[in-house]
Amino acid sequence: MDTQNDSRPSGDGARRYMAADSKTRKNRCAEDIKRRILTQNLEPGSNLDETTLAEFYEISRPPLREVLRQLAGEGYAILTENRGAQVAPMTHKTLRNFLIAAPMIYAAVTRLAAQNATEAQITRLKDVQSRFRHEIRSGDVEGRALLNMQFHAMIGEIADNEFLMPSQRRLLIDHTRIAMTFYNPRHGAMAEQRAIAADHHDEFIALIEAGNADAAAALAVAHWDLSRTEIESFVMPPSIDIPLGRLPGSATLEGAT
């Protein structure tokens, strides 16, 4: 057998190659499961079956379990003894606590970002916003939601506070999932609110770049208020006002009188 044209590494090189390939598959698996959770492809509370996932992502069970532990640590999933992994649920309590905490965390993170931002970080934030605008123009709802999350996550990285960043990341997971639940591009008022929210991103960049911490924090609260309005309009939609017409048998009753 001619091995001279075999481009596969051998010996130590083969082991490094296999390790790198395994790591790449594991990373791809983790990122794709995150994407599927955020976009509601994997619904809140659904089981993350190890056998199914290992087969789908073509990785063995041990690295998959590492991925699931990572997802649990980041708030995407929960691990329960004797039940395995589940997508993090969204309950009434979750939503209530989300609504309470979001404005405080977002305002604090944005304030710190305006105080700490470097020129390189501002450049990266502008790049994310450019790609976010592109997804809006293309009509890609998933891409828009994921880049919106990336934009705000980057503000959290700029803030660089080890106590606030985990809380912000957890908020952004549910914020993105909630948005994917109720977003309707045909809803005129909602589309208008989304346009305002996109413009807010440009304002965030300008205020953070200028170091205006007070105005940046105030904008974070205003930006949150838009999201809260969308959530409330989804949870409490206008009632359907349609005439019911005559009751069955009403004509007969009228004739009898």
Side-chain angles (χ1 to χ4, degrees), residues 169-224:
R169 281 195 294 263
R170 185 65 184 86
L171 284 170
L172 288 175
I173 291 171
D174 278 3
H175 203 152
T176 304
R177 293 197 292 174
I178 291 168
M180 287 298 298
T181 299
F182 64 68
Y183 178 63
N184 182 353
R186 296 183 179 183
H187 192 297
M190 187 175 291
E192 183 179 348
Q193 288 173 338
R194 290 299 175 95
I196 295 171
D199 290 339
H200 279 177
H201 283 201
D202 293 318
E203 294 178 44
F204 275 124
I205 293 171
L207 292 171
I208 292 172
E209 188 170 22
N212 193 335
D214 289 341
L219 179 61
V221 174
H223 192 64
W224 159 247

Side-chain angles (χ1 to χ4, degrees), residues 75-130:
Y76 288 88
I78 58 172
L79 298 178
T80 307
E81 189 174 359
N82 299 324
R83 289 192 60 186
Q86 291 177 289
V87 176
M90 287 199 299
T91 63
H92 175 269
K93 180 183 178 183
T94 303
L95 181 58
R96 183 177 185 277
N97 288 339
F98 169 80
L99 293 170
I100 291 171
M104 295 185 290
I105 301 298
Y106 288 154
V109 166
T110 308
R111 176 184 295 278
L112 287 174
Q115 295 172 347
N116 297 340
T118 66
E119 186 176 340
Q121 289 171 328
I122 294 294
T123 299
R124 290 198 296 272
L125 195 60
K126 288 178 179 178
D127 176 66
V128 174
Q129 174 66 352
S130 176

